[in-house]
Amino acid sequence: MPSPYRAIFAAPGSKGFSAAGFFGRMPLSMMAIGIVTMVSQLTGRYGLAGALSATLAMSAAAVGPQISRLVDRHGQARVLRPATLVSVAAVTGLLICAHQEAPDWTLFVFAAAAGCVPSVGSMIRARWAEIYRGQPRALHTAYSWESIVDEICFIVGPIISIGLSTAWFPEAGPLLAAAFLLVGVFWLTAQRATEPVPHPRDHHTGGSALRSPGLQVLVATFVATGAIFGAVDVVTVAFAEEQGHKAAASLVLAVYALGSCLAGAVFGLLHLQGPASRRWLVGVCAMAVSMIPLQLAGNLPFLAVALFVAGLSIAPTMVTTMALVEAHVPRTKLTEGMTWTSTGLAVGVALGSSAAGWTVDASGAGAGYVVPAVAGAIAAVVAFLGYRRLAKPVPTREGQRERDYEDGAQHVA
């Protein structure tokens, strides 16, 4: 490991909670694509598969910030364990109904209940923020590391989920994802020494973290960004099936995540000048432009190369986003603020996967890549329109912390 990454793990307990976070985040890359693969195998209906994936994502988007708000008030251990048990029970019900060919409405009910899943990535980043508060260089490296872990999940997760569901039995992918969630969350919450100190209700005056204008811009942009990810997942599975190699979809999506992983690893070592808001805008625009070559994909090798290049802009943009959240949201609402960005992604994934599923059913997989291209264009437009809010952070009850961070970030991230 390069020395900056080694340095952040000098903090006691950091290796343990980061490792637990890896397992807890595996469902993020496995569950949605696992449901798409499972339902498409059992019914042959990509529209239904995309709609169920969208239902799961929308439910997580609605419930996730509320769970994180409770975490900020009562602590991770008290909130995450019961929420995880509800989600795992709902996933189990979904798989049973799918296997028994139950009516479609039962699948949607359990998919909605399964959305009661905690944002494990936000919990891990909140622990890093607690350890390295006031040390922007170390925090930048920590956020970069967690983006690398995210992408490793997206490299390994789809391969496992799609591979098991196609080679073993259709429900295998989502089933293993639920097991990973259970193990990861209970392992994480057992580590109390690094858990951020909860803040009682009387410290949460002023309403939701989403009242921050800067956070509103980040979330709105991430809705469109999430649509890119959701659409790419669904269309790639369908494209691989049209090419006669459905199982290869997991490898192609892994290449997409690999590009992001490598970019994130390098980004964590850089000390770039200039405000974080400007780098974020460049990253969003790069993601939008990278969707254009997908329209020319005629075979899986070309698609894999195009997705690898597209992935290069993802992790740096995500790292910068987390830094901006930390800059624009009060410390007492940090977990909630980070979860709102995940919520934006989840809403986008829901919209993108659903739109892509119906497009594939109507016009074929080749036409489906129009959906992420349109989503990328929308993300760029929203980012441009909201850039001023990010470039000029507003003071909070904690004083000028946001402005101080922006000044420090110019010499760090």
Side-chain angles (χ1 to χ4, degrees), residues 131-307:
I131 292 173
Y132 290 118
R133 187 166 305 282
Q135 302 179 52
R137 175 171 295 184
L139 196 54
H140 168 74
T141 305
Y143 286 159
S144 297
W145 169 256
E146 292 306 321
S147 288
I148 294 170
V149 175
D150 282 339
E151 298 310 330
I152 292 174
C153 289
F154 277 96
I155 292 171
V156 177
I159 294 175
I160 296 175
S161 189
I162 297 175
L164 288 180
S165 291
T166 54
W168 197 4
F169 57 92
E171 300 86 357
L175 181 62
L176 185 59
F180 276 138
L181 177 64
L182 197 63
V183 171
V185 168
F186 275 76
W187 184 12
L188 173 65
T189 52
Q191 302 176 52
R192 304 299 294 271
T194 55
E195 180 179 348
V197 177
H199 304 278
R201 182 181 295 271
D202 58 358
H203 287 282
H204 284 259
T205 57
S208 170
L210 195 57
R211 295 183 65 178
S212 163
L215 183 60
Q216 291 171 6
V217 173
L218 295 173
V219 173
T221 306
F222 266 40
V223 171
T225 302
I228 295 175
F229 301 154
V232 166
D233 280 355
V234 173
V235 179
T236 299
V237 173
F239 185 85
E241 185 175 29
E242 282 189 0
Q243 296 290 311
H245 303 284
K246 185 175 183 178
S250 61
L251 298 177
V252 175
L253 292 174
V255 170
Y256 187 29
L258 178 62
S260 178
C261 181
L262 295 177
V266 174
F267 190 71
L269 303 175
L270 298 180
H271 305 299
L272 303 177
Q273 300 297 317
S277 53
R278 185 182 305 163
R279 290 193 298 279
W280 176 81
L281 179 61
V282 172
V284 172
C285 292
M287 279 195 285
V289 172
S290 70
M291 292 297 104
I292 297 176
L294 301 184
Q295 315 308 309
L296 306 176
N299 53 64
L300 288 175
F302 180 93
L303 178 63
V305 172
L307 285 176

Side-chain angles (χ1 to χ4, degrees), residues 34-50:
I35 290 175
V36 170
T37 306
M38 175 186 71
V39 174
S40 64
Q41 282 196 217
L42 292 174
T43 68
R45 297 162 61 190
Y46 277 96
L48 174 63

Side-chain angles (χ1 to χ4, degrees), residues 62-158:
V63 178
Q66 311 312 317
I67 293 176
S68 293
R69 182 180 294 185
L70 291 174
V71 166
D72 282 330
R73 294 177 179 177
H74 304 294
Q76 294 184 2
R78 291 184 59 187
V79 177
L80 299 188
R81 291 185 176 185
T84 297
L85 291 175
V86 171
S87 181
V88 170
V91 170
T92 302
L94 173 63
L95 301 187
I96 292 173
C97 288
H99 182 75
Q100 297 295 326
E101 299 181 355
D104 289 353
W105 67 267
T106 62
L107 303 180
F108 283 99
V109 169
F110 282 112
C116 187
V117 58
S119 176
V120 178
S122 298
M123 307 302 157
I124 301 301
R125 288 176 172 88
R127 293 192 182 215
W128 284 119
E130 188 76 9
I131 292 173
Y132 290 118
R133 187 166 305 282
Q135 302 179 52
R137 175 171 295 184
L139 196 54
H140 168 74
T141 305
Y143 286 159
S144 297
W145 169 256
E146 292 306 321
S147 288
I148 294 170
V149 175
D150 282 339
E151 298 310 330
I152 292 174
C153 289
F154 277 96
I155 292 171
V156 177

